[in-house]
Amino acid sequence: KAMSTLDSESCLQQGYAEWDKELNIQYQALLKGQASGVKKSIVQSQRDWLTYQKSYFTALDNFYRQQQGTVWGLVDAQAKLDFIRNKAIELNTLRGSLDVSGGNG
């Protein structure tokens, strides 16, 4: 329903926040019940991913900032939303990968 670039940006920011929340839900669910060694490696992996995310987002910002026009801010925001959404889905997929019964993980 966005009628302007500002509206679109607000929607993307809200979507990002919702996917970030979902990522944290999936992360906590994945950690639940894991042996300490497994939990430790998952936590370290997520820390490494957060470092990568920060670097990648800086690269996205620099890449799109060089373009002319306000649409590139939206493209940048969409790329960040997609990135965080994909990680949430990845964590959910990992958590459900041990369920070979055909049910939802």
Side-chain angles (χ1 to χ4, degrees):
K1 295 181 181 181
M3 301 296 284
S4 70
T5 302
L6 193 57
D7 291 342
S8 295
E9 188 174 337
S10 178
C11 287
L12 288 168
Q13 288 172 350
Q14 182 179 350
Y16 180 93
E18 292 298 319
W19 276 109
D20 189 51
K21 219 184 299 183
E22 182 62 25
L23 185 154
N24 286 309
I25 289 168
Q26 294 303 320
Y27 175 66
Q28 291 303 321
L30 179 62
L31 289 176
K32 189 175 183 181
Q34 298 296 334
S36 71
V38 173
K39 187 181 281 191
K40 184 178 178 180
S41 65
I42 292 169
V43 168
Q44 185 59 53
S45 174
Q46 192 66 9
R47 285 180 181 151
D48 293 345
W49 179 83
L50 288 168
T51 299
Y52 171 70
Q53 176 194 20
K54 182 178 178 182
S55 175
Y56 184 63
F57 281 11
T58 298
L60 283 174
D61 290 343
N62 289 332
F63 180 75
Y64 287 119
R65 225 178 264 137
Q66 69 184 343
Q67 306 302 319
Q68 297 294 320
T70 56
V71 70
W72 297 110
L74 298 178
V75 173
D76 187 23
Q78 182 68 56
K80 291 173 182 174
L81 185 151
D82 292 345
F83 184 86
I84 204 87
R85 179 190 66 219
N86 290 342
K87 185 62 174 181
I89 292 169
E90 181 182 306
L91 292 175
N92 177 266
T93 300
L94 179 60
R95 191 169 59 86
S97 68
L98 300 179
D99 182 6
V100 294
S101 68
N104 293 331

